[in-house]
Amino acid sequence: MRFVQDVRQAVRLMVKNRGFTAVALTVLALGIGANSALFSVLSSVLLKPLPYLEPDRLVQLGRQLPMGRSNAVSINQFLYWRDHQRSFSGMA
């Protein structure tokens, strides 16, 4: 019985203070939405396995530059490597 009285009082206060209620509901909705979106992205990026048959055999290629190592490769360089390589089963 006490719970029903508490709910009625809460509803009366929310109706009385409509501005505060609107702000509170908006903040809750944005927080829940952002949390869901962030979890969905992190789950798909970090928690699910890679969509490859043997992910332990993946390698990353790069170039040795005078300033140091760089993983940035132009599309032309990549296409040349892909068309002329004989060591890998595939490149993507």
Side-chain angles (χ1 to χ4, degrees):
M1 192 65 169
R2 177 82 178 140
F3 177 73
V4 174
Q5 290 174 346
D6 288 343
V7 170
R8 284 182 185 161
Q9 183 180 2
V11 169
R12 272 183 280 171
L13 288 175
M14 285 191 293
V15 170
K16 185 178 177 182
N17 298 320
R18 291 184 182 183
F20 174 77
T21 302
V23 170
L25 289 177
T26 302
V27 168
L28 277 172
L30 289 174
I32 291 170
N35 190 18
S36 297
L38 189 61
F39 178 77
S40 297
V41 169
L42 289 178
S43 173
S44 63
V45 172
L46 296 177
L47 300 178
K48 289 187 180 177
L50 295 173
Y52 302 106
L53 294 177
E54 299 175 278
D56 56 327
R57 296 186 63 198
L58 292 176
V59 295
Q60 181 178 4
L61 299 177
R63 298 183 339 180
Q64 185 69 34
L65 299 175
M67 290 97 37
R69 182 169 169 77
S70 171
N71 289 328
V73 178
S74 70
I75 187 67
N76 292 332
Q77 184 70 47
F78 169 75
L79 294 175
Y80 178 82
W81 286 351
R82 186 190 67 189
D83 296 339
H84 293 89
Q85 61 88 18
R86 287 183 239 141
S87 301
F88 301 110
S89 61
M91 292 179 74

